[in-house]
């Protein structure tokens, strides 16, 4: 569904430092807790090497042992991640605007950034009675079918757009756009209109509208609202709110050192 | 004010992997953006080595170059940190309870975990009109003067308590408890009563009350509410709410795989 987040060729992993990073890469949303054997297999090293690498990461705080003896990502990584301007920094600037938007709509409000040809959800406020969505904070997703993804893709460098358009477009529902020519026209329309609408392209009962978060002329993130609906009309009342909140976030980020 | 989060002796840094981790450690809340020379100096390596280490981290996504050519922590670290059960995992379980507590009080609501002899704030909902607090998500603080810290310290292993009690206790205000014997009595009282109150020990106008988040008999975090006040009586009305929310969070965490 999404591309591999791990950058660089496998050969780059063969440095000692690369092996440490490969241990961290072994942890995923689907497999957040690993045994030493899991890690050895994933990294492609003998058990003794895995033991040494894990010990080094444990001492640093990047990996922690749980009560069942399995390893998990440690608090130190989370703490360092809090310094990432595209992670928690952006989220801190955005949260008050997202909370305001949630207060007046009680629908799902989402914030995402682009990483390569994927998007990563940085924050989400989920309405308890709002339509179900597939997203999780820190989770990755494909760009083309989502409102936030369309905004991020429309403002991505041309080579990123071409890379996405050259690959097969996965259909999640019968409404997902899988024709590259049609997607190309939609991206042009997103750039022109300043908003992107995704009509039941991810799940059969949800429509989203997204707007770009711009900082000094660059689109750094996208904000969306996702509501239950069966046509683009479902999100029409929310367009001014999403656009205004996205602009507010951009203004706030620009103030952050 | 707080101890060094970087574990292990400096010699451990001399492995190739250790040097990579030392580059990440160079980024702090106070210095989130660094030049290559900053990094070389902090890690204690020649510029050419720093260049190679940073290139390896950039390819992985752990470090990103900003528009001014300085380096910052990359999205990949934030994304991995989202897998840390004591970071975002805990935060996702806690946020609904924290939002409920905020809704009914409109005061500051804070969630923290212990890391060694420090605490790390995992989540915070700040009332816009509530009293000012010094905390930031992902930020570290000393255990003894805060409500959450008293809870975490009261339930920490004995050797952690002794280490904290053996060191000088920093006075932030004239109300900060700096006498080890008095702190020892307070910790016993926290274990007995199930709540900790910090009366103007961090700032001169704020009082907090905290309760433990327990999972299968272990205290994994502490939840607090911080209000404007000038005596422990200021937080009395909030005690049942904080205790109930902390129990709810523990129950939710226990359900998480």
């Amino acid at each position: 569904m999404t591309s591999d987040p791990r950058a660089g060729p496998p050969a780059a992993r063969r440095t000692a430092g690369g092996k440490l990073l490969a241990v961290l890469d072994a942890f995923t949303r689907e497999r957040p807790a690993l045994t030493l054997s899991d890690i050895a297999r994933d990294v492609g090293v003998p058990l003794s090497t895995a033991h040494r690498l894990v010990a080094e990461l444990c001492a640093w705080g990047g990996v922690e042992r749980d009560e069942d003896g399995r390893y998990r990502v440690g608090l130190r990584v989370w703490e360092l991640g809090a310094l990432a301007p595209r992670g928690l920094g952006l989220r801190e600037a955005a949260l008050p605007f997202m909370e305001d938007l949630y207060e007046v709509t009680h629908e799902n409000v989402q914030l995402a950034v682009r990483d390569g040809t994927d998007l990563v959800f940085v924050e989400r406020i989920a309405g308890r009675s709002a339509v179900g969505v597939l997203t999780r904070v820190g989770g990755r997703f494909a760009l083309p079918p989502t409102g936030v993804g369309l905004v991020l893709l429309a403002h991505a460098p041309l080579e990123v757009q071409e890379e996405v358009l050259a690959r097969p477009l996965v259909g999640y529902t019968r409404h997902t756009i899988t024709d590259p020519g049609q997607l190309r026209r939609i991206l042009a329309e997103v750039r022109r209109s300043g908003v992107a609408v995704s009509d039941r392209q991810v799940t059969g009962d949800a429509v989203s509208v997204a707007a770009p978060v711009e900082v000094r002329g660059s689109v750094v993130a996208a904000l969306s609202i996702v509501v239950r609906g069966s046509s683009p009309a479902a999100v029409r009342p929310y367009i001014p709110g999403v656009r205004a909140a996205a602009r507010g976030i951009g203004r706030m980020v620009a103030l952050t050192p």
Side-chain angles (χ1 to χ4, degrees), chain A:
Chain A
M1 176 178 92
T2 57
S3 60
D4 190 331
R6 296 167 233 187
R13 297 270 169 247
R14 297 303 114 210
T15 69
K19 281 185 202 150
L20 266 193
L21 300 180
V23 171
L24 291 175
D25 281 338
F27 297 91
T28 62
R29 177 71 65 189
E30 292 71 33
R31 297 170 70 226
L34 300 173
T35 64
L36 199 59
S37 322
D38 293 336
I39 293 169
R41 196 174 43 243
D42 282 11
V43 180
V45 293
L47 210 56
S48 57
T49 308
H51 188 269
R52 187 182 52 72
L53 294 168
V54 166
E56 186 159 14
L57 283 170
C58 276
W60 181 63
V63 164
E64 293 174 351
R65 203 149 182 252
D66 71 12
E67 54 194 16
D68 304 325
R70 293 175 308 173
Y71 296 93
R72 292 171 180 265
V73 175
L75 190 67
R76 180 75 187 121
V77 177
W78 180 81
E79 189 183 2
L80 266 175
L83 301 177
R86 298 210 297 149
L88 199 65
L90 177 61
R91 177 260 182 196
E92 296 225 319
L95 198 59
F97 294 95
M98 296 179 71
E99 283 172 349
D100 288 346
L101 198 55
Y102 175 75
E103 269 312 309
V104 296
T105 64
H106 283 273
E107 301 286 357
N108 299 290
V109 179
Q110 309 193 125
L111 183 73
V113 300
R114 183 178 63 80
D115 195 45
T117 57
D118 293 333
L119 64 82
V120 175
F121 288 102
V122 169
E123 187 52 277
R124 185 187 81 138
I125 301 180
R128 284 174 208 209
S129 56
V131 66
V133 290
L134 297 181
T135 60
R136 279 191 65 166
V137 172
R140 276 177 186 263
F141 209 78
L143 292 167
T146 62
V148 280
L150 286 170
V151 164
L152 294 169
L153 189 55
H155 296 279
L158 208 59
E159 61 269 25
V160 173
Q161 295 185 19
E162 293 307 326
E163 191 183 337
V164 170
L165 287 161
R167 286 193 294 209
L169 296 165
V170 178
Y172 294 89
T173 70
R174 63 191 179 83
H175 301 283
T176 312
I177 288 156
T178 53
D179 172 51
Q182 194 183 350
L183 180 55
R184 206 181 283 274
R185 287 190 294 278
I186 288 171
L187 294 177
E189 177 62 19
V190 169
R191 282 187 292 271
R192 199 197 56 72
S193 67
V195 290
V197 173
S198 164
D199 176 15
R200 293 164 290 166
Q201 288 201 61
V202 178
T203 50
D205 57 354
V207 186
S208 75
V209 59
V213 174
E214 276 189 62
V215 180
R216 291 179 283 273
S218 297
V219 173
V220 300
L223 179 76
S224 75
I225 198 158
V226 188
V227 306
R228 193 180 303 278
S230 56
S231 87
V235 292
R236 211 162 289 147
Y238 300 104
I239 293 177
V242 171
R243 294 188 71 174
R247 291 171 71 101
I249 295 169
R251 214 186 310 281
M252 189 64 85
V253 171
L255 292 177
T256 315

